[in-house]
Amino acid sequence: MKHQLTLKVDFIQRLKLDVVHICLVPEDNHDLPEMLPGQFVEVAVDRANVLLNRPFSIFNYTPRRLELLVKPLGRASAALADYSVGDTLRVIAPLGRGFSQLSAGKVLLVGGGVGIAPLYYQARALNNVGIRPVVIYGERTAPDKLLCAAFEEVADLHICTDDGSAGFHGFVTEHPQLLSRDYDLMQVCGPMPMMRSLYAFASDNGVEAEFSLENKMACGLGACLCCVEDTAEGNRCVCTDGPVLRKEELKW
């Protein structure tokens, strides 16, 4: 069930690589509605003077706290990154279909750039059922140490960098942890070229995989058809039928 919420900025911090970590809390004493790993929220960025809300992955969630990672790429996200503690935001949540949750087995999480955002909450959820996932995090250069430290608490973290400044020098598609195929499920979010390469790898090697798509979204409700994806079951709205789709549902 979708909820319209008014949330207050409780904490905001600019991380390395121009990523902003924003924590939102309810204005009143009520708990937030349940949100699942892989779902997303729509935020009204009134200061940007834009008509439509903007979608953001759920980086972390508790009943009293919603956390987002924002990369200021457009007018709305840049305006959101400049909000301050105590400011309020109108949020629609939760939206979409999230990641599958296993009760046993090995899980590999692969994120590229700001696509790492939904994988932290998923790693926490897996921890809660006794699964410590492996995370491969790809960036162009060394990522933020605080962000890496958060992941290291809930996962076995492996960094890939394009320039070799941290971890493995190369793309996530070349990392030994991926090539080992020592996992039961791979869950992915990141730039489309990266996800298509991982889709090809999963298809060629019989790997079970899920992909969190980042198609352009406007309404978040399946009405505007901006985010339609041609799938094995026909055209589907990523904002309602996704953003997480199984490998078998995609036609890449």
Side-chain angles (χ1 to χ4, degrees), residues 4 17 31 35 41 57 74-75 77 80 93 108 113 131-132 144 146 165 168 171 177 180 219 232 244 249:
Q4 296 192 36
L17 303 181
D31 285 351
M35 303 181 200
V41 302
S57 299
R75 185 167 62 175
S77 55
L80 179 58
L108 175 67
I131 298 174
R132 184 175 175 86
D144 188 86
L146 292 176
S165 57
F168 178 79
F171 299 136
Q177 285 289 330
S180 73
C219 71
V244 178
E249 297 177 283

Side-chain angles (χ1 to χ4, degrees), residues 59-138:
F59 172 63
N60 196 21
Y61 161 86
T62 71
R64 300 293 299 170
R65 196 175 183 89
L66 169 65
E67 300 180 39
L68 310 175
L69 290 185
V70 176
K71 192 167 181 74
L73 296 174
R75 185 167 62 175
S77 55
L80 179 58
D82 284 335
Y83 273 60
S84 301
V85 172
D87 290 339
T88 58
L89 288 162
R90 294 180 292 116
V91 178
I92 301 175
L95 296 168
R97 183 177 75 174
F99 292 113
S100 296
Q101 300 299 317
L102 301 185
S103 57
K106 297 180 180 180
V107 180
L108 175 67
L109 307 178
V110 186
V114 77
I116 196 69
L119 301 184
Y120 177 71
Y121 184 24
Q122 171 65 349
R124 277 192 56 232
L126 291 168
N127 275 206
N128 290 339
V129 294
I131 298 174
R132 184 175 175 86
V134 172
V135 173
I136 303 177
Y137 175 19

Side-chain angles (χ1 to χ4, degrees), residues 193-206:
M194 183 200 86
M195 292 204 293
R196 285 182 177 270
S197 294
L198 291 172
Y199 171 85
F201 173 83
S203 299
D204 292 344
N205 291 278

Side-chain angles (χ1 to χ4, degrees), residues 199 207-209 231-233 245-251:
Y199 171 85
V207 172
E208 291 297 317
T231 74
E233 300 176 7
L245 295 176
R246 299 187 310 276
K247 177 188 69 177
E248 293 76 17
E249 297 177 283
L250 296 167
K251 292 173 63 176

